[in-house]
Amino acid sequence: MAPLQRTAFATRAIHQDSELSGAEVAASLSLSTTFRHPDPEVDGVEPGYDDEWDPSRPSRDVYSRETKPTTTRAEHVLSSIIGQPTILFPSGMAAFWAILLHVRPDIIAITGGYGGCHEAIKIYRRTKGEDQVQLIQLDDEYPHGKKLLVWVETPLNPLGTSRSLDKYAKRAHAAGGILGVDSTFGPPPMQDPFKWGVDIVMHSGTKYLNGHSDLLAGTVSVRDKADWLKLWNDRTFTGANIGSLDVWLLLRSLRTLDVRVKRQSKTATRLAQWLATQVGGGVVDKVYHTSLQDNADELLGPGKQMELGPACFSVVLKSKDMASRLPNKLKLFIHATSLGGVESLIEHRIISDPSENPCLVRLSIGLEDFDDLKDDWEHAMQAVRQ
Ligand SMILES: *Cc1c(COP(=O)(O)O)cnc(C)c1O
């Protein structure tokens, strides 16, 4: 849809799929798994697949594991706002697995980040042969001559600190490798990893793309349509499809992504800065957020890697006891895992990740009013001090 390419992000999130719509204004819910074949005598079309059949823009749907209307529409919108061809999966983990299957790396450079990705790499190594896949750290020297996947998560779970994509893109490419990014903590319009040389971008769509804590989804975005087609083939024949209800809810959610993410980012950045002023008050020991890291000026701001600060970040409290009690003293923050929804969440992180610092709590900022969230923290800090 050429004219729309010149429109702003917020506009494309709402209108990019309009040519795929009927007269209805809100997308219709389509649950059918199968679709009526054309009758050549009536429709003038043969029922088989023709050579021109493009699954990213199917002339018709046949069976929903291949294509279905709402997934096509959601992928149109996602491809436009992420900026490269994008394919949907039923979860972030399914998206990451699809990347491993697509790249088939012999060496993976990875340090920290979302625990599930490390578990998926263990499965990948088990299936490919432990000795066939070498694991190295992100800041190690990258060997040449083998298929290298450099995997960077930024902003990083659970801290909400950022890593330079430009640096890792240059290093990965110099070694003949490719750079993949888990950009879940930095959804559009917070950051555009492709601007900094990244080859593959993954999102857990369960988080900001959905934003309402009511569906699982994952996305993979690639620079090349040929790669999109390979991923579509693999998805079709591994059966890793997003459900019809989930993708309908996701398409609904994308309409408001721009306002949600901008507001969440603004409130979160203010709250992180305010919490940083509470260090020394007996409860807060340290606050992690991209705006508070040493090289914040290099990474955050207009035209920088992060246009907007992350809306999920971490606070280290004075003691493990405080970290376990404070989440239950807050009235507006819900003590639960996950992030990206309209409601603010807090989690004593050790519950989900036993290797984490026991004094650390992770915050996901929703769409509530800043002053209310700040008051909530003031009262909860008072309560745990006693
Ligand atoms: C949640 C999350 C995932 C996994 O996504 P699911 O949708 O839960 O499968 C991967 N990476 C990060 C950074 C996440 O926050």
Side-chain angles (χ1 to χ4, degrees):
M1 201 174 206
L4 270 183
Q5 288 305 343
R6 289 193 295 275
T7 60
F9 175 91
T11 309
R12 284 182 278 124
I14 295 166
H15 293 293
Q16 189 67 35
D17 60 324
S18 57
E19 64 183 344
L20 301 169
S21 145
E24 73 281 3
V25 172
S28 295
L29 186 55
S30 167
L31 299 180
S32 192
T33 53
T34 186
F35 300 84
R36 194 186 302 274
H37 287 309
D39 174 348
E41 282 180 24
V42 175
D43 304 305
V45 183
E46 291 299 323
Y49 298 89
D50 62 48
D51 294 343
E52 305 288 293
W53 193 76
D54 175 358
S56 75
R57 211 188 170 77
S59 51
R60 67 188 190 90
D61 298 298
V62 177
Y63 183 57
S64 69
R65 185 159 43 71
E66 297 169 344
T67 64
K68 57 180 186 283
T70 323
T71 302
T72 302
R73 289 182 67 163
E75 287 174 348
H76 260 66
V77 174
L78 287 163
S79 299
S80 171
I81 63 181
I82 295 174
Q84 294 294 341
T86 298
I87 183 159
L88 271 165
F89 289 90
S91 67
M93 289 319 304
F96 184 62
W97 184 252
I99 290 172
L100 291 178
L101 215 60
H102 178 67
V103 177
R104 300 282 294 164
D106 303 313
I107 305 174
I108 303 173
I110 184 170
T111 301
Y114 190 75
C117 294
H118 293 267
E119 293 301 317
I121 289 170
K122 282 187 201 159
I123 302 171
Y124 173 70
R125 295 186 77 199
R126 201 171 73 215
T127 56
K128 203 168 188 269
E130 308 273 336
D131 53 344
Q132 300 298 307
V133 188
Q134 194 188 342
L135 277 185
I136 59 172
Q137 299 293 316
L138 270 180
D139 290 330
D140 286 352
E141 188 108 359
Y142 299 160
H144 291 242
K146 285 191 163 178
K147 187 94 200 177
L148 166 72
L149 172 64
V150 177
W151 190 255
V152 173
E153 185 178 308
T154 190
L156 189 65
N157 176 56
L159 300 182
T161 49
S162 289
R163 292 160 159 176
S164 167
L165 290 173
D166 182 52
K167 170 178 122 183
Y168 288 108
K170 287 184 177 132
R171 290 196 57 214
H173 296 156
I178 68 168
L179 177 62
V181 169
D182 184 337
S183 189
T184 301
F185 275 48
M190 256 182 213
Q191 66 180 10
D192 174 5
F194 286 112
K195 250 173 90 173
W196 309 96
V198 173
D199 303 293
I200 298 188
V201 175
M202 180 208 115
H203 286 274
S204 164
T206 311
K207 315 297 168 50
Y208 293 96
L209 302 181
N210 166 41
H212 296 74
S213 310
D214 55 7
L215 67 88
L216 293 171
T219 65
V220 178
S221 308
V222 283
R223 287 193 177 275
D224 199 329
K225 180 73 182 288
D227 284 322
W228 187 95
L229 287 167
K230 283 186 200 144
L231 285 159
W232 174 81
N233 179 80
D234 294 356
R235 181 183 71 182
T236 300
F237 299 109
T238 54
N241 301 83
I242 187 165
S244 301
L245 282 169
D246 284 359
V247 76
W248 180 77
L249 282 168
L250 179 68
L251 182 59
R252 176 279 325 253
S253 293
L254 291 175
R255 308 309 191 193
T256 56
L257 182 67
D258 184 73
V259 280
R260 282 190 285 108
V261 167
K262 283 179 180 161
R263 170 76 174 266
Q264 285 171 285
S265 163
K266 192 171 164 197
T267 310
T269 305
R270 275 182 82 186
L271 198 70
Q273 310 254 321
W274 173 73
L275 284 167
T277 68
Q278 302 302 299
V279 173
V283 178
V284 176
D285 209 25
K286 185 166 173 70
V287 182
Y288 288 94
H289 184 268
T290 301
S291 68
L292 298 168
Q293 74 188 65
D294 289 344
N295 58 348
D297 287 351
E298 282 165 40
L299 294 173
L300 178 63
K304 307 275 170 71
Q305 178 178 307
M306 284 220 86
E307 296 269 343
L308 307 162
C312 188
F313 62 95
S314 285
V315 178
V316 178
L317 302 185
K318 280 274 173 218
S319 68
K320 181 183 177 184
D321 175 63
M322 281 184 179
S324 76
R325 289 195 299 130
L326 183 123
N328 298 309
K329 302 292 180 201
L330 289 159
K331 302 254 179 319
L332 298 175
F333 286 81
I334 300 165
H335 190 201
T337 198
S338 200
L339 60 138
V342 297
E343 56 290 294
S344 291
L345 303 181
I346 185 165
E347 181 177 34
H348 187 203
R349 239 345 242 180
I350 198 171
I351 295 172
S352 284
D353 178 0
S355 70
E356 192 47 78
N357 176 353
C359 302
L360 185 138
V361 291
R362 186 182 74 181
L363 282 67
S364 168
I365 305 307
L367 290 178
E368 301 91 340
D369 181 77
F370 169 77
D371 289 318
D372 291 334
L373 296 179
K374 177 171 168 264
D375 286 351
D376 203 19
W377 261 84
E378 271 175 340
H379 288 123
M381 287 194 294
Q382 192 63 39
V384 294
R385 257 187 224 112
Q386 285 158 5

